[in-house]
Amino acid sequence: MSGKEISQKSDNLPSADVMDLIAEDAGVGLDYDTSELQIPFIRIIQALSPQIKKSDPAYIAGAGQGDIFNTVTGMHWSGEEGIIVVPCYQETKYLKFKPREQGGGFLGELAKGDPDVARTTRSGAKEILPDGNELVKSDQHYCLIMNEEGIPGFGIIDMKSSGLKVSRRWKTQLKMMTVKHPKTGQLVTPSLFSTQWKLSVVEESNDMGSWFNWTVAQAGFVQEREIYDAAKNFRQSIETGAAKAVAEDLVDEEAHESGEAAPF
C-alpha cells in the first residue's frame, strides 16, 4: 500500500475521537429498504453441516459440531456455553419438500389453514402430504441475540423435527410466567420481549443416530430500557411486515436433504 498505512486496532473498535464522530453521524447512509435486508438464522452445526467442511464456501474456521452459528455473519459460539436471547415474536411455518429419493428440494411454504396440513399421514418420523411430498413444521423464534458486552443483534432460531419438543416446552414456560409488581403487589404476566433465556446445545440420540439439539433455560428479565425498547421495536417491525424471513432462507435445504433434520 502506498502512502500512509491505515492502522487497525487489535480489538477492532474505534478510537474515542472517531466514536464521537460515529455518534454524531449515527445511521447516515444506512437507510436501506427493509425488503433488501436478510434476517440471519441462528442454527446448530451438525455432523454433516457444510460449516465444518473446509472445501465448502459456508465453512467457518474454528467451528465444530454442536456449536451455534449465524447464517449471515458466520459468527459462532460454543454450544456448551450457549447464548443469551430475548424472544420477540414467534410464528409456525409449514414447509413442503420433495422426498429425497425423488431428488429432494424445497417446494415452498403452505399456509397454516391449508387443508392439506391436516391431511398428512405419518410415515416413520415424517409427515406425508396427500400429493406424496413431505411436510416439515418449523417454529420460528425471532430474537435479540446478546453478545458478551450485552449489545443486541437479531436473528431467527428455527426449531423443527426434534427441536419442536424444545419449542413447545419453551412456549409453555413463557405462557406460565408471572411476576409480582414491586409497587402494587399485583401479579403480572410479563411480555414475551421482557424475558431473557439461555439457549445451549445438548447431544441426543436414538436408534437412527445422534444429533445436537437446543436446550432452553430462563435467564431472568431484561434490565435495561434500551434493550426492552429494541426488543419491542423488533417485534413491531415483524408484525407490520417491515422485517421478515426470506422464503428461500426458511430452511437449510442441504441439511434436510442430507437427512440431518427430518429423521429425528
Side-chain angles (χ1 to χ4, degrees), residues 184-247:
T184 66
Q186 178 185 5
L187 289 178
V188 179
T189 300
S191 63
L192 176 69
F193 47 84
S194 67
T195 63
Q196 295 187 134
W197 299 80
K198 181 178 181 180
L199 270 64
S200 50
V201 177
V202 294
E203 187 171 8
E204 297 184 355
S205 64
N206 59 18
D207 56 359
M208 299 180 69
S210 62
W211 68 98
F212 295 95
N213 201 358
W214 295 106
T215 182
V216 179
Q218 188 178 352
F221 291 91
V222 172
Q223 300 296 316
E224 299 178 23
R225 178 63 183 264
E226 292 82 358
I227 302 300
Y228 188 93
D229 288 343
K232 186 174 182 178
N233 290 337
F234 185 36
R235 177 181 178 84
Q236 291 173 342
S237 70
I238 300 161
E239 290 178 325
T240 61
K244 59 184 177 180
V246 180

Side-chain angles (χ1 to χ4, degrees), residues 53-81:
K53 185 177 180 181
K54 288 186 176 181
S55 60
D56 197 288
Y59 173 72
I60 300 175
Q65 293 182 44
D67 284 349
I68 302 165
F69 75 102
N70 180 310
T71 61
V72 171
T73 67
M75 181 180 294
H76 66 282
W77 304 265
S78 163
E80 185 176 355
E81 294 180 8

